[in-house]
Amino acid sequence: MSADQMSIGEMLAATVPMARTLNLEFRETSPDRAVVALPDQSDYHNHVGGPHAGAMFTLGESASGAIVLAAFGAELSRAVPLAVSAEIAYKKLAMGPVTATATLGRPATDVIAELDAGERPEFPVAIEIRREDGAVTGEMTVVWTLRPNNPS
């Protein structure tokens, strides 16, 4: 299967070993929203029997990467998406499977306009991590950049 035929989830699983390791499920990937699930797996539990903080971080970061690829995949020939910084807040105890939903913090058209102007745009991606009962267990922000392949 070529990269053009792969879904974003398949591409991330193929190129990011940590996403494969955690068995992340890419449920929705669009330029508007990415939804990624972390199944309940005892190998990735913490001391209280829920998903480990590191697994939840990886879940959120992977959801942010999925929306970045969905929104800016057409720009990959001229720029590399890179995470610049990340913050996470653990709000409630997470038990069982958890799902991360990512949304862009700036319109993609604004980011692309900066890239077109020869700049290296930065933009935030907001992520909510929820338990099956809908409770928000974590909130995360990952700031991304599109680094031009041939900076001027």
Side-chain angles (χ1 to χ4, degrees), residues 24-28 33-40 51 55-56 58-61 63 94-102 127-139:
L24 297 181
E25 300 169 359
F26 293 84
R27 295 187 175 166
E28 179 183 336
R33 186 171 105 128
V35 179
V36 181
L38 173 65
D40 187 24
M56 288 177 52
T58 301
L59 169 67
E61 194 275 342
M95 298 298 281
V98 289
T99 303
T101 301
I127 304 103
E128 278 192 344
I129 301 171
R130 294 180 180 268
R131 298 187 303 225
E132 278 189 312
D133 67 3
V136 175
T137 62
E139 293 174 343

Side-chain angles (χ1 to χ4, degrees), residues 41-59:
Q41 303 166 87
S42 61
D43 284 348
Y44 306 112
H45 282 178
N46 58 21
H47 62 290
V48 295
H52 189 276
M56 288 177 52
F57 182 95
T58 301
L59 169 67

Side-chain angles (χ1 to χ4, degrees), residues 68-89:
V68 167
L69 285 177
F72 303 108
E75 310 308 321
L76 294 181
S77 64
R78 65 182 182 140
V80 176
L82 298 169
V84 174
S85 65
E87 266 186 38
I88 191 165

